[in-house]
Amino acid sequence: TVAVCVLILGIAISRLLLSLSKDFAPLIAIVIAFAILGVAFLLSTMENIGRQALATLAVLTGVLVVGAGVAGAVKGERAHASEAGSNVEIPIIARANGFNTNQLALPAGTPAVIHLRNDSDQPQNFSIYNHKGGTALATGETVEPGKDGKVSWTTPSNGNGTYYFQSDSNPDQYWGAITIVKSETTAPGQAPAGGGAQSNTTTTAKG
């Protein structure tokens, strides 16, 4: 019976910790550990504590912990980042004269999702190549004018490389370069608002 209770409490605590952020979970684990030790020490110093009072305290503690564990299970586990970093999402706009930026910087070894908004008057897409005229690494869906689309691509893990992107419908007007870097300290940013395909601004993102 004791082993079953300990097992239930352990599962409940683990579900609670998994539902918390990775920065907050260790703090809660320390608080729970000190609370258990404190209760155990208190009980060991009380000579005349009744069996009913002890049982009531144990049940109350168990209910609180199990309740917190159930709440954590309902909330679900926190999203786990990849080993190299969290997912990166970048917005890109296809305008009348090209993409709103032709320079992207992405962290190495990271799943990236490029969201394309087509504000031009022709169908467009966003495809990634190892170099201009080279092998396609990711091909985005064709997006009609006024619509949105996306393409997913996991950046290479070796870092410090340069790749090419374009709209396959209009590759001479809609194009740009993606620079892969080993580490980034800037927060994910919006694609620059100004400029067309010849804009020299860089959209930098971090996982």
Side-chain angles (χ1 to χ4, degrees):
T1 303
V2 174
V4 173
C5 292
V6 171
L7 178 62
I8 293 175
L9 289 176
I11 294 174
I13 293 173
S14 68
R15 300 309 304 179
L16 172 62
L17 296 179
L18 286 172
S19 68
L20 301 174
S21 69
K22 63 180 181 180
D23 296 324
F24 194 54
L27 177 61
I28 295 301
I30 293 173
V31 171
I32 292 175
F34 273 102
I36 293 175
L37 289 175
V39 171
F41 176 77
L42 180 63
L43 294 179
S44 66
T45 58
M46 298 177 66
E47 298 180 356
N48 298 321
I49 185 171
R51 199 176 272 186
Q52 183 177 359
L54 179 60
T56 301
L57 181 60
V59 170
L60 180 59
T61 302
V63 168
L64 290 176
V65 174
V66 172
V70 171
V74 171
K75 180 181 178 182
E77 294 185 19
R78 61 178 177 268
H80 295 281
S82 64
E83 291 183 2
S86 304
N87 291 359
V88 168
E89 297 192 12
I90 295 292
I92 293 291
I93 304 173
R95 293 177 172 170
N97 62 338
F99 292 122
N100 65 320
T101 180
N102 68 347
Q103 299 287 332
L104 296 177
L106 299 175
T110 303
V113 179
I114 292 87
H115 296 272
L116 175 64
R117 172 67 182 177
N118 187 5
D119 285 345
S120 73
D121 58 359
Q122 303 176 47
Q124 308 289 353
N125 79 332
F126 189 98
S127 295
I128 302 170
Y129 294 80
N130 58 343
H131 58 80
K132 184 177 181 179
T135 303
L137 304 177
T139 302
E141 59 190 299
T142 300
V143 181
E144 297 297 325
K147 303 294 185 180
D148 298 285
K150 65 181 179 180
V151 59
S152 299
W153 180 52
T154 298
T155 61
S157 58
N158 53 350
N160 295 336
T162 301
Y163 297 82
Y164 189 81
F165 67 84
Q166 68 180 35
S167 171
D168 295 324
S169 303
N170 302 279
D172 294 332
Q173 191 174 12
Y174 294 82
W175 55 269
I178 300 175
T179 301
I180 306 300
V181 292
K182 289 185 177 180
S183 64
E184 277 295 334
T185 56
T186 54
Q190 296 289 324
Q198 303 308 314
S199 171
N200 290 322
T201 51
T202 301
T203 297
T204 304
K206 175 181 81 68

